Structures are given as C-alpha cells and as structure tokens.
Amino acid sequence: MPADSSSLPGAVLFACNLNHVRSPMAEALLKRLVGDRIYVDSCGLKLPAMVHDEAADEDVAAGVDPFVDAVMAELGCDLTGHRPKTFDDLEDSSFDLVVSLTPEAQHHAVELARSRAADIEYWPTFDPTLIDGSREARLAAYREVRDALARRISERFGPSGPTPIDLAPRGAL
C-alpha cells in the first residue's frame, strides 16, 4: 500500500552484504522518488575488495559495481561518488526503518534493532553478480534487480503515481 507523507519514516537504511550492488541501487531509487523528504543511506556487512586510488595514493574500498553504474545511469542516477561502507562506518545509526536485502544483512539488522527503536523489513533480493554470460545477459540481470527494487520502493514509500523508473529522463530507457 502506498504511503502518504505523514506515514513515511524519517530515515531509511538499506543493507546488503557488500554495499556495492543492491543497497546502493535501492538508496538511489528511494532518493529519486522522495528527494530529501527522507534521509536515506545504505551499508553492507563488510567492504568489497580494495582498489588502489592513484590520486590519494592509498587503498580504498571499490565503488559500486560497474554494471550498477551502467543500469543506474540509464535512469539518470550517477553513483560514481558512492563509497561502500559497513554498519560500523555509518555516521548516524538512528534509522526509523532498516530494509535488509540479503539474509545475512537481515540477521545483523535484527541484532541492531534490539538496542534501537527501528522497524526492520526483509526484502529478499537476487544477487545479479551470480549471472554469467555476455555483457547484455549480465546487464539484463542487473536491470531486473533495479526494476524489482523500484517497484517495491514505489509500493512501500510512494504515493500512487510514478515509480523511480518512470522518473527517468525522457528517452533514457
């Protein structure tokens, strides 16, 4: 059931395993839908593999998956500035709602909620990194995850009206 603005949570956290595929997609899609009416963040249980940042001359966690960049860019969402983080890296942990996208993140969210007043929702979300094949086959899997998250976000947080996909720039898809 779509939410009216009075029933929206003030702060939402999306959590998955590495914070470089599903949770950044969900974060960007919800921000696209509600703007700054809700504080939205995402995190993972652990950081993805490290890469060397030549400009800073240090090892840093890899950004979002390149396929995520591609399918989110189709909607006009730029995730190049996203840096994965863990629950421990969050600047603020006072979320009204934590949406877990993986079973492992769900277990951690339940533990987190024991010491905080936060609602927990579990949205099992397929991991598109498991798909092998051509670039197009892999992009199709990422699009399916993006679109499924967009529908779920629209149903949970949006007034009846456009989904985050509908808000894509004209001609983007």
Side-chain angles (χ1 to χ4, degrees):
M1 178 169 92
D4 64 35
S5 60
S6 65
S7 67
L8 291 174
V12 175
L13 176 68
F14 289 100
C16 65
N17 293 353
L18 300 176
N19 192 224
H20 79 132
V21 176
R22 293 166 281 190
S23 56
M25 274 192 209
E27 176 186 354
L29 290 166
L30 182 54
K31 285 178 177 177
R32 176 181 269 305
L33 184 66
V34 300
D36 61 1
R37 290 179 294 161
I38 298 175
Y39 176 77
V40 185
D41 205 351
S42 65
C43 71
L45 296 174
K46 59 185 180 180
L47 295 176
M50 302 296 278
V51 295
H52 190 73
D53 180 342
E54 295 296 330
D57 194 30
E58 65 183 358
D59 289 338
V60 297
V64 298
D65 180 294
F67 288 107
V68 171
D69 270 336
V71 300
M72 294 305 289
E74 293 172 352
L75 301 181
C77 293
D78 180 9
L79 296 182
T80 57
H82 177 82
R83 293 293 165 248
K85 57 189 164 294
T86 66
F87 280 93
D88 293 335
D89 297 329
L90 294 171
E91 291 181 22
D92 186 354
S93 61
S94 56
F95 293 93
D96 301 311
L97 174 63
V98 178
V99 178
S100 306
L101 305 174
T102 66
E104 299 85 358
Q106 173 67 2
H107 292 296
H108 191 86
V110 168
E111 290 299 317
L112 180 75
R114 288 187 178 161
S115 62
R116 294 177 179 86
D119 291 330
I120 307 294
E121 293 182 15
Y122 176 46
W123 299 1
T125 306
F126 177 73
D127 181 357
T129 66
L130 299 176
I131 296 296
D132 287 329
S134 69
R135 175 177 169 73
E136 277 311 309
R138 296 179 73 195
L139 282 169
Y142 279 74
R143 286 183 188 111
E144 285 181 34
V145 169
R146 177 199 65 196
D147 296 351
L149 285 169
R151 281 189 299 276
R152 187 78 188 255
I153 286 167
S154 181
E155 290 167 3
R156 173 63 174 85
F157 299 102
S160 35
T163 69
I165 300 291
D166 298 327
L167 297 172
R170 187 173 303 277
L173 295 176

